[in-house]
Amino acid sequence: MAEVKVKRETSVSDPAEVENRITELCQQFPHGITDQVIQNDMPHLEPQQRAMAINKLLSLGQLELLKNSSGLLYRMKDLQSTSKMKGSDNQEKLVYQIIEDAGNKGIWSRDIRFKSNLPLTEINKILKNLESKKLIKAVKSVAASKKKVYMLYNLQPDRSVTGGAWYSDQDFESEFVEVLNQQCFKFLQSKAEAARDSKHSPMVQRNSSFATSHEVWKYICELGISKVDLSMDDIETILNTLIYDGKVEMTVIAAKEGTVGSVDGQVKLYRGVNAVIQPTGLIRTPCGLCPVFDDCHEGGEISPSTCIYLTEWLDF
């Protein structure tokens, strides 16, 4: 952590005042403070006084000690979790800390074992105890159907764990994705047709045939075909599949500050297109659209004989 210079210069000798000031600094910098930050704020404080104040706050469970590339960090503890962890032994606190550090992506029990150096039987016992206190929860991951990851109870799992809107109980909702594909394309197609039917100039017709991802997202939400809340990123994922299918084209333009759907001063526009000619038979095969076609050869990591896409296409 970079050194933080605090303008306030305090001359304190009362231990309670020192502890209060360290607590204030930790609240000011929630990601943690180094010893140097405390020294900069209280330059006249003796090292022994500083150490005694920190050790007391650590023993009271108000601070937690972390380590990063810059050295040791002191950070305020979450009062709610601290009260729930009251009476827990050091092993249970260690497992809880490891799970907390994993964030909303969670952590496998195998990785908890590796980081804690505790026996697997002891870890399983601790995990069950923490789950019963509703401090942590187990979430099934789409990456491995038979494994669970552990995270804090109040966290919303990351999309990489749940699979996002496209998965339900770890099953890929192919029919739902297909319906979204059809409805997104239908909206863009109707917008393009309305632009063509207008009596404006060709350039105006072309510009008015485009729609932002926010407009498509709003249309899908108003249809009410989704049981889950879809984000703009979800809709853009669907629109990208339509681009790969050759049904939609995208362009990026500069946008005014505050424009809905804009990112870094730019906004994506989409419009439905009709293919000028039908693709040839070769292009319709998986090989015709394969992004790693040049790396594909018999005996290699990517091979025609092991290609699941080619196998499915031949079976069809």
Side-chain angles (χ1 to χ4, degrees):
M1 174 181 285
E3 291 184 12
V4 180
K5 294 183 179 180
V6 184
K7 291 181 179 179
R8 176 179 168 181
E9 193 171 300
T10 324
S11 179
V12 289
S13 56
D14 183 27
E17 289 184 18
V18 177
E19 292 163 17
N20 288 337
R21 183 55 190 156
I22 292 174
T23 302
E24 288 175 7
L25 287 171
C26 288
Q27 290 172 343
Q28 187 178 350
F29 304 103
H31 294 295
I33 59 173
T34 62
D35 234 7
Q36 189 61 50
V37 174
I38 303 173
Q39 289 180 44
N40 291 346
D41 186 71
M42 295 179 283
H44 303 294
L45 187 67
E46 293 292 331
Q48 187 178 0
Q49 288 179 296
R50 185 172 67 250
M52 287 177 63
I54 291 171
N55 287 336
K56 185 174 180 181
L57 291 170
L58 288 170
S59 64
L60 291 173
Q62 295 181 22
L63 292 186
E64 58 184 351
L65 186 61
L66 305 173
K67 189 175 181 180
N68 69 356
S69 56
S70 304
L72 295 176
L73 288 177
Y74 306 105
R75 188 175 70 182
M76 288 292 294
K77 273 193 174 180
D78 180 27
L79 295 178
Q80 187 177 0
S81 62
T82 302
S83 62
K84 289 183 178 179
M85 290 296 292
K86 192 174 181 180
S88 301
D89 57 27
N90 290 332
Q91 291 182 342
E92 197 166 286
K93 290 178 181 177
L94 175 62
V95 172
Y96 179 86
Q97 183 64 55
I98 292 170
I99 295 172
E100 184 180 29
D101 292 341
N104 64 346
K105 291 188 177 180
I107 186 169
W108 310 105
S109 57
R110 180 189 62 185
D111 294 332
I112 298 174
R113 180 184 178 187
F114 175 76
K115 291 187 175 183
S116 65
N117 290 322
L118 294 173
L120 185 59
T121 52
E122 185 66 25
I123 289 173
N124 289 335
K125 180 181 176 182
I126 291 171
L127 291 174
K128 285 182 180 179
N129 192 28
L130 291 174
E131 281 188 271
S132 66
K133 293 179 181 179
K134 292 190 175 181
L135 286 170
I136 66 168
K137 61 183 175 183
V139 180
K140 290 183 179 180
S141 172
V142 294
S145 58
K146 295 182 180 179
K147 291 185 179 180
K148 295 180 289 186
V149 294
Y150 294 90
M151 64 185 67
L152 296 189
Y153 188 80
N154 60 342
L155 292 182
Q156 184 69 25
D158 187 79
R159 290 171 62 93
S160 61
V161 178
T162 62
W166 319 132
Y167 283 81
S168 176
D169 296 327
Q170 294 184 293
D171 293 325
F172 181 68
E173 296 284 350
S174 57
E175 292 182 5
F176 175 54
V177 172
E178 182 60 31
V179 169
L180 284 177
N181 265 280
Q182 293 172 0
Q183 292 300 325
C184 287
F185 181 60
K186 179 182 177 182
F187 173 76
L188 293 174
Q189 212 173 24
S190 63
K191 194 171 180 67
E193 289 173 359
R196 282 194 298 268
D197 294 339
S198 68
K199 297 180 181 180
H200 299 297
S201 64
M203 184 59 70
V204 174
Q205 286 184 14
R206 183 182 184 279
N207 291 340
S208 60
S209 66
F210 283 97
T212 64
S213 52
H214 180 265
E215 290 178 293
V216 182
W217 169 80
K218 186 178 178 182
Y219 170 76
I220 295 297
C221 290
E222 289 174 350
L223 282 180
I225 58 176
S226 175
K227 294 180 181 179
V228 296
D229 292 331
L230 296 173
S231 66
M232 291 268 289
D233 288 338
D234 293 329
I235 295 301
E236 287 187 1
T237 300
I238 295 295
L239 292 171
N240 285 337
T241 63
L242 291 170
I243 292 172
Y244 302 145
D245 289 339
K247 296 179 178 179
V248 168
E249 67 177 13
M250 182 194 75
T251 187
V252 179
I253 63 169
K256 294 180 181 179
E257 187 177 351
T259 302
V260 179
S262 64
V263 178
D264 297 329
Q266 295 181 325
V267 65
K268 296 176 182 176
L269 298 177
Y270 302 85
R271 73 166 186 159
V273 293
N274 294 318
V276 179
I277 58 173
Q278 289 297 318
T280 63
L282 179 61
I283 295 298
R284 292 181 183 179
T285 67
C287 301
L289 297 171
C290 182
V292 291
F293 177 81
D294 294 335
D295 300 322
C296 183
H297 60 272
E298 198 60 47
E301 290 187 11
I302 303 170
S303 168
S305 59
T306 58
C307 178
I308 59 172
Y309 304 105
L310 187 59
T311 303
E312 290 176 357
W313 182 77
L314 291 171
D315 290 341
F316 180 79

